[in-house]
Amino acid sequence: MVNKRVTDAIWPTPRLVRAARALVGIDQATIAQRAGVSRKAVISIEGDESDTMDYRRVEVLHKLQVVLEDEFGIEFQKATKSAGAGVRFRDPKAF
């Protein structure tokens, strides 16, 4: 099988997923269990700084995003002209 790579913008970036996980205070094993993936997959995703990503990794990235957004109330923000990309709690009263 051909190793398909996603070349479109990867969103959220692995760095933002790592930051979001730190913001909510959970470890890699916890998010892995909640997303239904292995801890090794989380380690691989969070350490990936490339501009392209294998489609399977993109699927794992999406699972992590869903857990962070739906279970922990995280909001991923894209960069604008005046600010860089980031993460925050959706509910201002969460912190």
Side-chain angles (χ1 to χ4, degrees):
M1 181 172 176
V2 175
N3 188 7
K4 295 181 182 179
R5 298 197 59 84
V6 175
T7 55
D8 295 338
I10 297 167
W11 186 256
T13 64
R15 183 176 290 186
L16 289 176
V17 168
R18 190 171 55 244
R21 185 177 57 75
L23 181 62
V24 299
I26 59 172
D27 60 18
Q28 292 171 329
T30 300
I31 194 167
Q33 185 270 327
R34 291 190 179 198
V37 300
S38 69
R39 181 172 175 265
K40 185 176 179 180
V42 174
I43 292 168
S44 294
I45 293 297
E46 288 186 350
D48 193 335
E49 296 291 332
S50 62
D51 292 333
T52 64
M53 189 178 281
D54 182 272
Y55 75 96
R56 293 167 293 198
R57 283 192 174 190
V58 172
E59 289 174 1
V60 171
L61 185 67
H62 179 70
K63 289 178 181 182
L64 300 176
Q65 176 186 8
V66 168
V67 168
L68 289 163
E69 290 176 342
D70 294 352
E71 294 185 29
F72 294 98
I74 287 293
E75 181 176 87
F76 292 95
Q77 297 181 297
K78 293 194 177 203
T80 65
K81 290 181 181 180
S82 60
V87 298
R88 68 179 183 182
F89 287 109
R90 190 177 311 118
D91 181 358
K93 298 174 187 170
F95 186 68

